[in-house]
């Protein structure tokens, strides 16, 4: 069984701050993890993924995430946020058969001016 | 064009009435998915089509039907809506084998309100 836990339902930061959104997973097989962003009224959009290799992966708009097998984590980070980064962020783990994703409950990021 | 379109965007239904939601994509993706999203909850996978093969999650097996008459279209059908079906329904698609990234392409959702 694959599960994803996002412990923070809401995170508020100021523009220019750094931010880390946390994701922990539970799965014993081959790991495929990803992050998606959902702006208000829009569909979920792919940010980045980790499958193998370098545990730090880069995504769009300055986002990066780091995979840690020892911590069962895949936290998302950005060094300097912009107001347009305000959105809900979802972490996901992929089932090994078919390209099926299971999502966490999401973290709503609010960037204050 | 990497868009997934869903209709209707908003649907109001009476308890006990049927509901049919439509999704389309023109990217020739082989897999199409339906998720249910309730406030403050994770998107919950209901079912997916891999080509013409329907796969339904065990805990939603009896509650939702689906059809995929061709590669581009996929519907989600609720035979008798209950209050618990009120949610946002998200359709997504993905490339054959998931492509290089395994990413899913999502529509903007269909918000169902059951009264």
């Amino acid at each position: 069984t694959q599960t994803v836990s996002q412990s923070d339902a809401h995170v508020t930061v100021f523009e220019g701050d750094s931010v880390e959104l946390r994701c922990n997973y539970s799965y014993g097989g081959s790991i495929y993890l990803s992050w998606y962003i959902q702006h208000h009224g829009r569909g979920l959009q792919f940010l980045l993924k980790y499958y193998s290799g370098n545990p730090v992966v880069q995504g769009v708009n300055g986002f990066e995430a780091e995979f840690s097998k020892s911590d069962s984590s895949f936290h998302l980070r950005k060094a300097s946020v912009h107001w347009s980064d305000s959105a809900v962020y979802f972490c996901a783990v992929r089932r090994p058969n078919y390209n099926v994703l299971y999502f966490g409950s999401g973290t709503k990021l609010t960037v204050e001016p | 064009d990497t868009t997934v379109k869903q209709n209707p965007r908003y649907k109001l239904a009476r308890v006990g009435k049927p509901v049919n939601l439509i999704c389309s994509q023109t990217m020739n993706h082989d897999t199409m998915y339906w998720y249910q999203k309730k406030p403050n909850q994770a998107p919950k996978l209901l079912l997916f089509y891999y080509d013409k093969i329907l796969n339904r999650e065990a805990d939603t097996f009896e509650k939702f039907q689906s059809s995929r008459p061709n590669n581009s279209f996929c519907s989600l059908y609720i035979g008798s809506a209950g209050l618990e079906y009120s949610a946002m329904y998200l359709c997504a698609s993905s490339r054959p084998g998931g492509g290089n990234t395994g990413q899913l392409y999502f529509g903007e959702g269909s918000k169902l309100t059951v009264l």
Side-chain angles (χ1 to χ4, degrees), chain A residues 35-39 41-47 88-92 101 103-104, chain B residues 2 4 6 35 37 43 88 90-92 103-109:
Chain A
W35 278 94
Y36 284 72
I37 180 174
Q38 185 181 29
H39 286 105
R42 306 294 300 276
L44 278 72
Q45 289 184 291
F46 174 80
L47 267 184
V88 182
Y89 293 78
F90 294 94
C91 183
L101 301 187
F103 289 90
Chain B
T2 57
V4 176
Q6 292 188 238
Y35 286 83
K37 174 75 173 70
M88 182 73 81
L90 308 176
C91 177
Q103 72 180 89
L104 270 57
Y105 296 79
F106 281 85
E108 294 183 335

PDB file of all heavy atoms in Angstrom, chain A residues 35-39 41-47 88-92 101 103-104, chain B residues 2 4 6 35 37 43 88 90-92 103-109:
ATOM      1  N   TRP A  35       5.553  16.049  -7.266  1.00  0.00           N
ATOM      2  CA  TRP A  35       4.808  17.172  -6.704  1.00  0.00           C
ATOM      3  C   TRP A  35       3.980  17.827  -7.802  1.00  0.00           C
ATOM      4  O   TRP A  35       4.440  17.969  -8.946  1.00  0.00           O
ATOM      5  CB  TRP A  35       5.759  18.220  -6.118  1.00  0.00           C
ATOM      6  CG  TRP A  35       6.255  17.916  -4.751  1.00  0.00           C
ATOM      7  CD1 TRP A  35       7.423  17.285  -4.407  1.00  0.00           C
ATOM      8  CD2 TRP A  35       5.617  18.262  -3.508  1.00  0.00           C
ATOM      9  NE1 TRP A  35       7.542  17.213  -3.043  1.00  0.00           N
ATOM     10  CE2 TRP A  35       6.450  17.810  -2.472  1.00  0.00           C
ATOM     11  CE3 TRP A  35       4.427  18.915  -3.171  1.00  0.00           C
ATOM     12  CZ2 TRP A  35       6.141  17.978  -1.120  1.00  0.00           C
ATOM     13  CZ3 TRP A  35       4.121  19.093  -1.836  1.00  0.00           C
ATOM     14  CH2 TRP A  35       4.964  18.631  -0.820  1.00  0.00           C
ATOM     15  N   TYR A  36       2.782  18.248  -7.406  1.00  0.00           N
ATOM     16  CA  TYR A  36       1.880  18.970  -8.288  1.00  0.00           C
ATOM     17  C   TYR A  36       1.439  20.251  -7.601  1.00  0.00           C
ATOM     18  O   TYR A  36       1.361  20.325  -6.375  1.00  0.00           O
ATOM     19  CB  TYR A  36       0.648  18.123  -8.621  1.00  0.00           C
ATOM     20  CG  TYR A  36       0.911  17.026  -9.626  1.00  0.00           C
ATOM     21  CD1 TYR A  36       1.644  15.899  -9.277  1.00  0.00           C
ATOM     22  CD2 TYR A  36       0.465  17.141 -10.938  1.00  0.00           C
ATOM     23  CE1 TYR A  36       1.914  14.904 -10.200  1.00  0.00           C
ATOM     24  CE2 TYR A  36       0.724  16.146 -11.872  1.00  0.00           C
ATOM     25  CZ  TYR A  36       1.449  15.036 -11.487  1.00  0.00           C
ATOM     26  OH  TYR A  36       1.715  14.058 -12.422  1.00  0.00           O
ATOM     27  N   ILE A  37       1.122  21.241  -8.402  1.00  0.00           N
ATOM     28  CA  ILE A  37       0.639  22.523  -7.894  1.00  0.00           C
ATOM     29  C   ILE A  37      -0.754  22.783  -8.467  1.00  0.00           C
ATOM     30  O   ILE A  37      -1.041  22.444  -9.624  1.00  0.00           O
ATOM     31  CB  ILE A  37       1.605  23.675  -8.284  1.00  0.00           C
ATOM     32  CG1 ILE A  37       1.106  25.007  -7.750  1.00  0.00           C
ATOM     33  CG2 ILE A  37       1.821  23.731  -9.790  1.00  0.00           C
ATOM     34  CD1 ILE A  37       2.088  26.169  -7.974  1.00  0.00           C
ATOM     35  N   GLN A  38      -1.613  23.333  -7.615  1.00  0.00           N
ATOM     36  CA  GLN A  38      -2.954  23.702  -8.082  1.00  0.00           C
ATOM     37  C   GLN A  38      -3.252  25.137  -7.687  1.00  0.00           C
ATOM     38  O   GLN A  38      -3.463  25.430  -6.499  1.00  0.00           O
ATOM     39  CB  GLN A  38      -4.022  22.769  -7.512  1.00  0.00           C
ATOM     40  CG  GLN A  38      -5.409  23.049  -8.080  1.00  0.00           C
ATOM     41  CD  GLN A  38      -6.475  22.154  -7.526  1.00  0.00           C
ATOM     42  OE1 GLN A  38      -6.397  21.675  -6.400  1.00  0.00           O
ATOM     43  NE2 GLN A  38      -7.502  21.906  -8.328  1.00  0.00           N
ATOM     44  N   HIS A  39      -3.258  26.009  -8.674  1.00  0.00           N
ATOM     45  CA  HIS A  39      -3.706  27.376  -8.428  1.00  0.00           C
ATOM     46  C   HIS A  39      -5.228  27.384  -8.357  1.00  0.00           C
ATOM     47  O   HIS A  39      -5.897  26.512  -8.921  1.00  0.00           O
ATOM     48  CB  HIS A  39      -3.217  28.308  -9.535  1.00  0.00           C
ATOM     49  CG  HIS A  39      -1.762  28.622  -9.443  1.00  0.00           C
ATOM     50  ND1 HIS A  39      -0.820  28.062 -10.283  1.00  0.00           N
ATOM     51  CD2 HIS A  39      -1.070  29.423  -8.604  1.00  0.00           C
ATOM     52  CE1 HIS A  39       0.374  28.513  -9.963  1.00  0.00           C
ATOM     53  NE2 HIS A  39       0.263  29.342  -8.950  1.00  0.00           N
ATOM     54  N   GLY A  41      -8.898  27.500  -8.863  1.00  0.00           N
ATOM     55  CA  GLY A  41      -9.727  27.397 -10.049  1.00  0.00           C
ATOM     56  C   GLY A  41      -9.087  26.700 -11.230  1.00  0.00           C
ATOM     57  O   GLY A  41      -9.684  26.648 -12.312  1.00  0.00           O
ATOM     58  N   ARG A  42      -7.876  26.183 -11.035  1.00  0.00           N
ATOM     59  CA  ARG A  42      -7.164  25.539 -12.134  1.00  0.00           C
ATOM     60  C   ARG A  42      -6.966  24.057 -11.842  1.00  0.00           C
ATOM     61  O   ARG A  42      -7.173  23.571 -10.729  1.00  0.00           O
ATOM     62  CB  ARG A  42      -5.799  26.207 -12.328  1.00  0.00           C
ATOM     63  CG  ARG A  42      -5.857  27.713 -12.507  1.00  0.00           C
ATOM     64  CD  ARG A  42      -6.561  28.104 -13.798  1.00  0.00           C
ATOM     65  NE  ARG A  42      -5.903  27.567 -14.974  1.00  0.00           N
ATOM     66  CZ  ARG A  42      -4.862  28.134 -15.577  1.00  0.00           C
ATOM     67  NH1 ARG A  42      -4.352  29.246 -15.118  1.00  0.00           N
ATOM     68  NH2 ARG A  42      -4.342  27.582 -16.657  1.00  0.00           N
ATOM     69  N   GLY A  43      -6.541  23.327 -12.866  1.00  0.00           N
ATOM     70  CA  GLY A  43      -6.233  21.918 -12.672  1.00  0.00           C
ATOM     71  C   GLY A  43      -4.856  21.728 -12.047  1.00  0.00           C
ATOM     72  O   GLY A  43      -4.033  22.643 -12.033  1.00  0.00           O
ATOM     73  N   LEU A  44      -4.622  20.546 -11.515  1.00  0.00           N
ATOM     74  CA  LEU A  44      -3.302  20.234 -10.968  1.00  0.00           C
ATOM     75  C   LEU A  44      -2.271  20.222 -12.100  1.00  0.00           C
ATOM     76  O   LEU A  44      -2.533  19.705 -13.191  1.00  0.00           O
ATOM     77  CB  LEU A  44      -3.287  18.858 -10.295  1.00  0.00           C
ATOM     78  CG  LEU A  44      -3.797  18.758  -8.871  1.00  0.00           C
ATOM     79  CD1 LEU A  44      -5.289  18.906  -8.799  1.00  0.00           C
ATOM     80  CD2 LEU A  44      -3.359  17.433  -8.245  1.00  0.00           C
ATOM     81  N   GLN A  45      -1.077  20.772 -11.801  1.00  0.00           N
ATOM     82  CA  GLN A  45      -0.012  20.801 -12.802  1.00  0.00           C
ATOM     83  C   GLN A  45       1.254  20.194 -12.222  1.00  0.00           C
ATOM     84  O   GLN A  45       1.606  20.453 -11.064  1.00  0.00           O
ATOM     85  CB  GLN A  45       0.270  22.241 -13.237  1.00  0.00           C
ATOM     86  CG  GLN A  45      -0.830  22.851 -14.085  1.00  0.00           C
ATOM     87  CD  GLN A  45      -0.445  24.238 -14.560  1.00  0.00           C
ATOM     88  OE1 GLN A  45      -0.361  25.161 -13.759  1.00  0.00           O
ATOM     89  NE2 GLN A  45      -0.202  24.374 -15.839  1.00  0.00           N
ATOM     90  N   PHE A  46       1.928  19.438 -13.027  1.00  0.00           N
ATOM     91  CA  PHE A  46       3.153  18.761 -12.641  1.00  0.00           C
ATOM     92  C   PHE A  46       4.272  19.771 -12.348  1.00  0.00           C
ATOM     93  O   PHE A  46       4.475  20.717 -13.114  1.00  0.00           O
ATOM     94  CB  PHE A  46       3.570  17.829 -13.778  1.00  0.00           C
ATOM     95  CG  PHE A  46       4.887  17.146 -13.606  1.00  0.00           C
ATOM     96  CD1 PHE A  46       5.006  16.026 -12.806  1.00  0.00           C
ATOM     97  CD2 PHE A  46       6.016  17.619 -14.255  1.00  0.00           C
ATOM     98  CE1 PHE A  46       6.221  15.379 -12.661  1.00  0.00           C
ATOM     99  CE2 PHE A  46       7.233  16.980 -14.125  1.00  0.00           C
ATOM    100  CZ  PHE A  46       7.333  15.853 -13.326  1.00  0.00           C
ATOM    101  N   LEU A  47       4.976  19.556 -11.221  1.00  0.00           N
ATOM    102  CA  LEU A  47       6.114  20.393 -10.865  1.00  0.00           C
ATOM    103  C   LEU A  47       7.438  19.666 -11.093  1.00  0.00           C
ATOM    104  O   LEU A  47       8.353  20.191 -11.716  1.00  0.00           O
ATOM    105  CB  LEU A  47       6.037  20.791  -9.400  1.00  0.00           C
ATOM    106  CG  LEU A  47       5.375  22.108  -9.013  1.00  0.00           C
ATOM    107  CD1 LEU A  47       5.501  22.324  -7.511  1.00  0.00           C
ATOM    108  CD2 LEU A  47       5.974  23.279  -9.771  1.00  0.00           C
ATOM    109  N   VAL A  88      -2.123  25.462  -3.829  1.00  0.00           N
ATOM    110  CA  VAL A  88      -2.109  24.221  -3.050  1.00  0.00           C
ATOM    111  C   VAL A  88      -1.131  23.264  -3.720  1.00  0.00           C
ATOM    112  O   VAL A  88      -1.148  23.100  -4.945  1.00  0.00           O
ATOM    113  CB  VAL A  88      -3.504  23.582  -2.971  1.00  0.00           C
ATOM    114  CG1 VAL A  88      -3.451  22.321  -2.106  1.00  0.00           C
ATOM    115  CG2 VAL A  88      -4.514  24.570  -2.376  1.00  0.00           C
ATOM    116  N   TYR A  89      -0.295  22.651  -2.909  1.00  0.00           N
ATOM    117  CA  TYR A  89       0.737  21.758  -3.406  1.00  0.00           C
ATOM    118  C   TYR A  89       0.443  20.337  -2.943  1.00  0.00           C
ATOM    119  O   TYR A  89       0.201  20.089  -1.759  1.00  0.00           O
ATOM    120  CB  TYR A  89       2.108  22.207  -2.904  1.00  0.00           C
ATOM    121  CG  TYR A  89       2.532  23.529  -3.500  1.00  0.00           C
ATOM    122  CD1 TYR A  89       2.017  24.728  -3.020  1.00  0.00           C
ATOM    123  CD2 TYR A  89       3.431  23.580  -4.558  1.00  0.00           C
ATOM    124  CE1 TYR A  89       2.383  25.936  -3.575  1.00  0.00           C
ATOM    125  CE2 TYR A  89       3.814  24.781  -5.117  1.00  0.00           C
ATOM    126  CZ  TYR A  89       3.276  25.968  -4.621  1.00  0.00           C
ATOM    127  OH  TYR A  89       3.648  27.158  -5.183  1.00  0.00           O
ATOM    128  N   PHE A  90       0.497  19.419  -3.895  1.00  0.00           N
ATOM    129  CA  PHE A  90       0.205  18.013  -3.606  1.00  0.00           C
ATOM    130  C   PHE A  90       1.429  17.159  -3.888  1.00  0.00           C
ATOM    131  O   PHE A  90       2.041  17.271  -4.961  1.00  0.00           O
ATOM    132  CB  PHE A  90      -0.945  17.503  -4.474  1.00  0.00           C
ATOM    133  CG  PHE A  90      -2.268  18.137  -4.190  1.00  0.00           C
ATOM    134  CD1 PHE A  90      -2.704  19.238  -4.918  1.00  0.00           C
ATOM    135  CD2 PHE A  90      -3.090  17.634  -3.190  1.00  0.00           C
ATOM    136  CE1 PHE A  90      -3.932  19.816  -4.659  1.00  0.00           C
ATOM    137  CE2 PHE A  90      -4.321  18.217  -2.919  1.00  0.00           C
ATOM    138  CZ  PHE A  90      -4.743  19.309  -3.665  1.00  0.00           C
ATOM    139  N   CYS A  91       1.713  16.288  -2.947  1.00  0.00           N
ATOM    140  CA  CYS A  91       2.755  15.284  -3.123  1.00  0.00           C
ATOM    141  C   CYS A  91       2.082  13.989  -3.556  1.00  0.00           C
ATOM    142  O   CYS A  91       0.941  13.706  -3.156  1.00  0.00           O
ATOM    143  CB  CYS A  91       3.496  15.097  -1.805  1.00  0.00           C
ATOM    144  SG  CYS A  91       4.879  13.948  -1.839  1.00  0.00           S
ATOM    145  N   ALA A  92       2.773  13.184  -4.376  1.00  0.00           N
ATOM    146  CA  ALA A  92       2.159  11.951  -4.876  1.00  0.00           C
ATOM    147  C   ALA A  92       3.190  10.845  -4.973  1.00  0.00           C
ATOM    148  O   ALA A  92       4.371  11.086  -5.232  1.00  0.00           O
ATOM    149  CB  ALA A  92       1.519  12.191  -6.239  1.00  0.00           C
ATOM    150  N   LEU A 101      -1.219   7.423  -9.689  1.00  0.00           N
ATOM    151  CA  LEU A 101      -0.684   8.220  -8.591  1.00  0.00           C
ATOM    152  C   LEU A 101      -1.654   8.263  -7.411  1.00  0.00           C
ATOM    153  O   LEU A 101      -2.864   8.355  -7.600  1.00  0.00           O
ATOM    154  CB  LEU A 101      -0.415   9.650  -9.052  1.00  0.00           C
ATOM    155  CG  LEU A 101       0.569   9.848 -10.204  1.00  0.00           C
ATOM    156  CD1 LEU A 101       0.849  11.332 -10.405  1.00  0.00           C
ATOM    157  CD2 LEU A 101       1.856   9.092  -9.962  1.00  0.00           C
ATOM    158  N   PHE A 103      -2.232  10.579  -3.976  1.00  0.00           N
ATOM    159  CA  PHE A 103      -1.875  11.913  -3.527  1.00  0.00           C
ATOM    160  C   PHE A 103      -2.014  12.093  -2.027  1.00  0.00           C
ATOM    161  O   PHE A 103      -2.787  11.406  -1.359  1.00  0.00           O
ATOM    162  CB  PHE A 103      -2.782  12.953  -4.214  1.00  0.00           C
ATOM    163  CG  PHE A 103      -2.493  13.135  -5.669  1.00  0.00           C
ATOM    164  CD1 PHE A 103      -3.140  12.362  -6.613  1.00  0.00           C
ATOM    165  CD2 PHE A 103      -1.584  14.094  -6.088  1.00  0.00           C
ATOM    166  CE1 PHE A 103      -2.879  12.533  -7.972  1.00  0.00           C
ATOM    167  CE2 PHE A 103      -1.316  14.271  -7.439  1.00  0.00           C
ATOM    168  CZ  PHE A 103      -1.965  13.494  -8.379  1.00  0.00           C
ATOM    169  N   GLY A 104      -1.249  13.063  -1.506  1.00  0.00           N
ATOM    170  CA  GLY A 104      -1.466  13.546  -0.157  1.00  0.00           C
ATOM    171  C   GLY A 104      -2.612  14.544  -0.150  1.00  0.00           C
ATOM    172  O   GLY A 104      -3.185  14.874  -1.192  1.00  0.00           O
TER     173      GLY A 104
ATOM    174  N   THR B   2      -1.866  20.688 -24.692  1.00  0.00           N
ATOM    175  CA  THR B   2      -1.822  19.719 -23.598  1.00  0.00           C
ATOM    176  C   THR B   2      -2.919  20.005 -22.611  1.00  0.00           C
ATOM    177  O   THR B   2      -2.678  20.268 -21.442  1.00  0.00           O
ATOM    178  CB  THR B   2      -0.451  19.778 -22.900  1.00  0.00           C
ATOM    179  OG1 THR B   2      -0.229  21.110 -22.458  1.00  0.00           O
ATOM    180  CG2 THR B   2       0.659  19.344 -23.812  1.00  0.00           C
ATOM    181  N   VAL B   4      -6.773  19.014 -20.921  1.00  0.00           N
ATOM    182  CA  VAL B   4      -7.831  18.061 -20.642  1.00  0.00           C
ATOM    183  C   VAL B   4      -9.071  18.881 -20.331  1.00  0.00           C
ATOM    184  O   VAL B   4      -9.015  19.784 -19.495  1.00  0.00           O
ATOM    185  CB  VAL B   4      -7.461  17.167 -19.452  1.00  0.00           C
ATOM    186  CG1 VAL B   4      -8.619  16.246 -19.097  1.00  0.00           C
ATOM    187  CG2 VAL B   4      -6.201  16.366 -19.762  1.00  0.00           C
ATOM    188  N   GLN B   6     -13.119  19.231 -19.220  1.00  0.00           N
ATOM    189  CA  GLN B   6     -14.174  18.561 -18.468  1.00  0.00           C
ATOM    190  C   GLN B   6     -15.483  19.334 -18.591  1.00  0.00           C
ATOM    191  O   GLN B   6     -15.494  20.559 -18.568  1.00  0.00           O
ATOM    192  CB  GLN B   6     -13.799  18.460 -16.988  1.00  0.00           C
ATOM    193  CG  GLN B   6     -12.632  17.535 -16.728  1.00  0.00           C
ATOM    194  CD  GLN B   6     -12.401  17.289 -15.254  1.00  0.00           C
ATOM    195  OE1 GLN B   6     -11.330  17.563 -14.727  1.00  0.00           O
ATOM    196  NE2 GLN B   6     -13.407  16.750 -14.573  1.00  0.00           N
ATOM    197  N   TYR B  35     -10.568  11.132 -10.470  1.00  0.00           N
ATOM    198  CA  TYR B  35     -10.336  11.290  -9.047  1.00  0.00           C
ATOM    199  C   TYR B  35     -11.508  12.063  -8.444  1.00  0.00           C
ATOM    200  O   TYR B  35     -12.111  12.919  -9.111  1.00  0.00           O
ATOM    201  CB  TYR B  35      -9.062  12.102  -8.784  1.00  0.00           C
ATOM    202  CG  TYR B  35      -7.761  11.368  -9.024  1.00  0.00           C
ATOM    203  CD1 TYR B  35      -7.212  11.267 -10.302  1.00  0.00           C
ATOM    204  CD2 TYR B  35      -7.049  10.799  -7.967  1.00  0.00           C
ATOM    205  CE1 TYR B  35      -6.007  10.618 -10.510  1.00  0.00           C
ATOM    206  CE2 TYR B  35      -5.842  10.152  -8.172  1.00  0.00           C
ATOM    207  CZ  TYR B  35      -5.335  10.069  -9.446  1.00  0.00           C
ATOM    208  OH  TYR B  35      -4.136   9.419  -9.654  1.00  0.00           O
ATOM    209  N   LYS B  37     -12.310  14.693  -5.325  1.00  0.00           N
ATOM    210  CA  LYS B  37     -11.607  15.570  -4.388  1.00  0.00           C
ATOM    211  C   LYS B  37     -12.625  16.285  -3.508  1.00  0.00           C
ATOM    212  O   LYS B  37     -13.482  17.042  -4.012  1.00  0.00           O
ATOM    213  CB  LYS B  37     -10.775  16.597  -5.162  1.00  0.00           C
ATOM    214  CG  LYS B  37     -10.095  17.669  -4.322  1.00  0.00           C
ATOM    215  CD  LYS B  37      -8.905  17.129  -3.592  1.00  0.00           C
ATOM    216  CE  LYS B  37      -8.108  18.212  -2.877  1.00  0.00           C
ATOM    217  NZ  LYS B  37      -8.820  18.781  -1.713  1.00  0.00           N
ATOM    218  N   PRO B  43      -6.933  14.022  -3.231  1.00  0.00           N
ATOM    219  CA  PRO B  43      -7.650  13.473  -4.391  1.00  0.00           C
ATOM    220  C   PRO B  43      -7.664  11.948  -4.286  1.00  0.00           C
ATOM    221  O   PRO B  43      -6.620  11.328  -4.069  1.00  0.00           O
ATOM    222  CB  PRO B  43      -6.807  13.940  -5.583  1.00  0.00           C
ATOM    223  CG  PRO B  43      -6.090  15.156  -5.078  1.00  0.00           C
ATOM    224  CD  PRO B  43      -5.814  14.872  -3.638  1.00  0.00           C
ATOM    225  N   MET B  88     -15.525  17.654  -5.910  1.00  0.00           N
ATOM    226  CA  MET B  88     -14.925  18.022  -7.191  1.00  0.00           C
ATOM    227  C   MET B  88     -14.438  16.720  -7.833  1.00  0.00           C
ATOM    228  O   MET B  88     -13.794  15.897  -7.155  1.00  0.00           O
ATOM    229  CB  MET B  88     -13.760  18.977  -6.980  1.00  0.00           C
ATOM    230  CG  MET B  88     -13.106  19.441  -8.267  1.00  0.00           C
ATOM    231  SD  MET B  88     -14.115  20.624  -9.168  1.00  0.00           S
ATOM    232  CE  MET B  88     -13.726  22.127  -8.259  1.00  0.00           C
ATOM    233  N   LEU B  90     -12.071  15.184 -10.688  1.00  0.00           N
ATOM    234  CA  LEU B  90     -10.917  15.546 -11.510  1.00  0.00           C
ATOM    235  C   LEU B  90     -10.636  14.455 -12.516  1.00  0.00           C
ATOM    236  O   LEU B  90     -10.507  13.288 -12.154  1.00  0.00           O
ATOM    237  CB  LEU B  90      -9.672  15.739 -10.624  1.00  0.00           C
ATOM    238  CG  LEU B  90      -9.825  16.672  -9.433  1.00  0.00           C
ATOM    239  CD1 LEU B  90      -8.533  16.679  -8.615  1.00  0.00           C
ATOM    240  CD2 LEU B  90     -10.163  18.080  -9.887  1.00  0.00           C
ATOM    241  N   CYS B  91     -10.535  14.852 -13.756  1.00  0.00           N
ATOM    242  CA  CYS B  91     -10.143  13.931 -14.813  1.00  0.00           C
ATOM    243  C   CYS B  91      -8.687  14.208 -15.171  1.00  0.00           C
ATOM    244  O   CYS B  91      -8.228  15.358 -15.140  1.00  0.00           O
ATOM    245  CB  CYS B  91     -11.023  14.129 -16.039  1.00  0.00           C
ATOM    246  SG  CYS B  91     -10.572  13.086 -17.441  1.00  0.00           S
ATOM    247  N   ALA B  92      -7.966  13.166 -15.490  1.00  0.00           N
ATOM    248  CA  ALA B  92      -6.564  13.313 -15.887  1.00  0.00           C
ATOM    249  C   ALA B  92      -6.236  12.294 -16.963  1.00  0.00           C
ATOM    250  O   ALA B  92      -6.962  11.315 -17.153  1.00  0.00           O
ATOM    251  CB  ALA B  92      -5.642  13.131 -14.681  1.00  0.00           C
ATOM    252  N   GLN B 103       4.038  12.067 -15.707  1.00  0.00           N
ATOM    253  CA  GLN B 103       3.100  13.042 -15.202  1.00  0.00           C
ATOM    254  C   GLN B 103       1.686  12.822 -15.711  1.00  0.00           C
ATOM    255  O   GLN B 103       1.480  12.275 -16.786  1.00  0.00           O
ATOM    256  CB  GLN B 103       3.557  14.455 -15.548  1.00  0.00           C
ATOM    257  CG  GLN B 103       3.415  14.833 -17.017  1.00  0.00           C
ATOM    258  CD  GLN B 103       3.891  16.251 -17.274  1.00  0.00           C
ATOM    259  OE1 GLN B 103       5.065  16.483 -17.540  1.00  0.00           O
ATOM    260  NE2 GLN B 103       2.980  17.188 -17.191  1.00  0.00           N
ATOM    261  N   LEU B 104       0.759  13.255 -14.887  1.00  0.00           N
ATOM    262  CA  LEU B 104      -0.637  13.272 -15.258  1.00  0.00           C
ATOM    263  C   LEU B 104      -1.005  14.693 -15.674  1.00  0.00           C
ATOM    264  O   LEU B 104      -0.522  15.668 -15.097  1.00  0.00           O
ATOM    265  CB  LEU B 104      -1.522  12.843 -14.076  1.00  0.00           C
ATOM    266  CG  LEU B 104      -1.825  11.347 -13.933  1.00  0.00           C
ATOM    267  CD1 LEU B 104      -0.567  10.526 -13.826  1.00  0.00           C
ATOM    268  CD2 LEU B 104      -2.752  11.112 -12.764  1.00  0.00           C
ATOM    269  N   TYR B 105      -1.875  14.781 -16.671  1.00  0.00           N
ATOM    270  CA  TYR B 105      -2.389  16.067 -17.124  1.00  0.00           C
ATOM    271  C   TYR B 105      -3.839  16.162 -16.660  1.00  0.00           C
ATOM    272  O   TYR B 105      -4.652  15.299 -17.004  1.00  0.00           O
ATOM    273  CB  TYR B 105      -2.317  16.170 -18.651  1.00  0.00           C
ATOM    274  CG  TYR B 105      -0.910  16.146 -19.190  1.00  0.00           C
ATOM    275  CD1 TYR B 105      -0.216  14.952 -19.321  1.00  0.00           C
ATOM    276  CD2 TYR B 105      -0.263  17.321 -19.549  1.00  0.00           C
ATOM    277  CE1 TYR B 105       1.082  14.921 -19.809  1.00  0.00           C
ATOM    278  CE2 TYR B 105       1.035  17.304 -20.047  1.00  0.00           C
ATOM    279  CZ  TYR B 105       1.698  16.100 -20.167  1.00  0.00           C
ATOM    280  OH  TYR B 105       2.983  16.074 -20.643  1.00  0.00           O
ATOM    281  N   PHE B 106      -4.119  17.188 -15.888  1.00  0.00           N
ATOM    282  CA  PHE B 106      -5.431  17.307 -15.262  1.00  0.00           C
ATOM    283  C   PHE B 106      -6.308  18.342 -15.946  1.00  0.00           C
ATOM    284  O   PHE B 106      -5.824  19.376 -16.424  1.00  0.00           O
ATOM    285  CB  PHE B 106      -5.281  17.718 -13.796  1.00  0.00           C
ATOM    286  CG  PHE B 106      -4.906  16.583 -12.887  1.00  0.00           C
ATOM    287  CD1 PHE B 106      -3.578  16.223 -12.721  1.00  0.00           C
ATOM    288  CD2 PHE B 106      -5.882  15.879 -12.198  1.00  0.00           C
ATOM    289  CE1 PHE B 106      -3.227  15.172 -11.882  1.00  0.00           C
ATOM    290  CE2 PHE B 106      -5.545  14.832 -11.360  1.00  0.00           C
ATOM    291  CZ  PHE B 106      -4.218  14.474 -11.199  1.00  0.00           C
ATOM    292  N   GLY B 107      -7.610  18.067 -15.922  1.00  0.00           N
ATOM    293  CA  GLY B 107      -8.584  19.081 -16.261  1.00  0.00           C
ATOM    294  C   GLY B 107      -8.853  19.977 -15.057  1.00  0.00           C
ATOM    295  O   GLY B 107      -8.299  19.770 -13.973  1.00  0.00           O
ATOM    296  N   GLU B 108      -9.720  20.960 -15.271  1.00  0.00           N
ATOM    297  CA  GLU B 108      -9.998  21.921 -14.198  1.00  0.00           C
ATOM    298  C   GLU B 108     -11.041  21.414 -13.207  1.00  0.00           C
ATOM    299  O   GLU B 108     -11.292  22.063 -12.207  1.00  0.00           O
ATOM    300  CB  GLU B 108     -10.427  23.248 -14.803  1.00  0.00           C
ATOM    301  CG  GLU B 108      -9.293  23.914 -15.581  1.00  0.00           C
ATOM    302  CD  GLU B 108      -9.671  25.261 -16.139  1.00  0.00           C
ATOM    303  OE1 GLU B 108     -10.875  25.499 -16.353  1.00  0.00           O
ATOM    304  OE2 GLU B 108      -8.758  26.082 -16.364  1.00  0.00           O
ATOM    305  N   GLY B 109     -11.621  20.275 -13.498  1.00  0.00           N
ATOM    306  CA  GLY B 109     -12.542  19.666 -12.552  1.00  0.00           C
ATOM    307  C   GLY B 109     -14.004  19.954 -12.845  1.00  0.00           C
ATOM    308  O   GLY B 109     -14.347  20.944 -13.508  1.00  0.00           O
TER     309      GLY B 109
END
